[in-house]
């Protein structure tokens, strides 16, 4: 706010705006505030959205760019794909309702995505070599998965808002 005087709570005790409000910053090594829990949650949500959009683009035509035959894929890899999608979709509401669980699911989704990329590039999913465009899409999913893991970790590293009154604070009755 424009009229922030640097104090809240007890008179004579200066606190930053973040210490007085619900949006506690995530501290870096230098002690500078760079990422709030709210922005980490939004970034994790954005990474999930990007991954889901790229996943749709990895489908066979007419939706996506996959040109290899899908008949060679085993039911194990289909179940693995569905587990990834389920975990990603589950991350979306839980990142806000239960940040510690949602952050854990985000990290799990990122790990599963990266494992799927490695398996595809190692020809475990299909014997044919992936076309360049499809490999580029997988590379983008890998980058988005790393971002998802990072922001999910930052969400998990924050503690929730503290609404507990301290004994002896000014205003206690």
């Amino acid at each position: 706010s424009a009229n922030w005087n640097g104090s809240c709570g007890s008179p004579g005790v200066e606190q930053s705006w973040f210490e007085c409000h619900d949006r506690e910053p995530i501290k870096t090594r230098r002690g500078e505030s760079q990422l709030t829990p709210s922005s980490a949650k939004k970034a994790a949500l954005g990474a999930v959205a990007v991954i889901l959009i790229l996943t749709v683009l990895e489908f066979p035509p007419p939706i996506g760019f996959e040109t290899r035959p899908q008949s060679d894929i085993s039911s194990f890899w289909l179940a693995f794909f569905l587990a990834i999608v389920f975990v990603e979709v589950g991350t979306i509401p839980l990142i806000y309702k239960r940040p510690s669980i949602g952050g854990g699911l985000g990290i799990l989704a990122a790990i599963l995505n990266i494992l799927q990329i490695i398996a595809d590039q190692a020809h475990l999913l299909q014997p044919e070599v992936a076309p360049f465009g499809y490999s580029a899409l997988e590379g983008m999913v890998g980058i988005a998965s790393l971002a998802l893991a990072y922001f999910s970790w930052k969400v998990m590293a924050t503690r929730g808002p503290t609404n507990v009154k301290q004994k002896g604070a000014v205003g206690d009755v």
Side-chain angles (χ1 to χ4, degrees):
S1 67
N3 296 328
W4 181 251
N5 63 7
S7 65
C8 70
S10 301
V13 177
E14 287 204 15
Q15 294 176 316
S16 72
W17 183 87
F18 288 108
E19 291 172 329
C20 298
H21 293 83
D22 200 4
R23 299 175 63 169
E24 181 180 322
I26 298 170
K27 299 290 183 181
T28 62
R29 286 185 218 173
R30 295 183 205 116
E32 301 167 357
S33 300
Q34 293 187 357
L35 187 66
T36 63
S38 175
S39 60
K41 290 174 186 176
K42 289 176 186 174
L45 183 64
V48 169
V50 167
I51 291 169
L52 289 173
I53 291 168
L54 291 171
T55 300
V56 170
L57 292 176
E58 290 178 340
F59 285 178
I63 299 171
F65 297 105
E66 174 64 90
T67 57
R68 298 174 291 176
Q70 300 300 300
S71 59
D72 295 336
I73 298 176
S74 72
S75 57
F76 170 78
W77 291 113
L78 175 63
F80 192 78
F81 168 76
L82 293 175
I84 293 170
V85 172
F86 180 75
V87 171
E88 287 171 349
V89 171
T91 299
I92 295 170
L94 289 175
I95 204 93
Y96 285 98
K97 292 183 180 183
R98 299 278 233 203
S100 61
I101 297 171
L105 284 178
I107 292 171
L108 178 62
I111 291 169
L112 292 175
N113 269 314
I114 292 170
L115 287 175
Q116 187 271 332
I117 293 167
I118 292 169
D120 193 22
Q121 293 300 317
H123 308 293
L124 298 176
L125 271 70
Q126 295 190 4
E128 294 183 30
V129 175
F132 177 74
Y134 186 82
S135 293
L137 278 174
E138 282 189 330
M140 288 187 268
V141 169
I143 292 169
S145 294
L146 291 173
L148 174 59
Y150 174 76
F151 290 118
S152 295
W153 177 64
K154 287 295 190 179
V155 168
M156 287 180 58
T158 62
R159 49 191 178 124
T162 54
N163 293 330
V164 180
K165 282 189 170 184
Q166 297 175 355
K167 286 189 172 185
V170 175
D172 280 351
V173 179

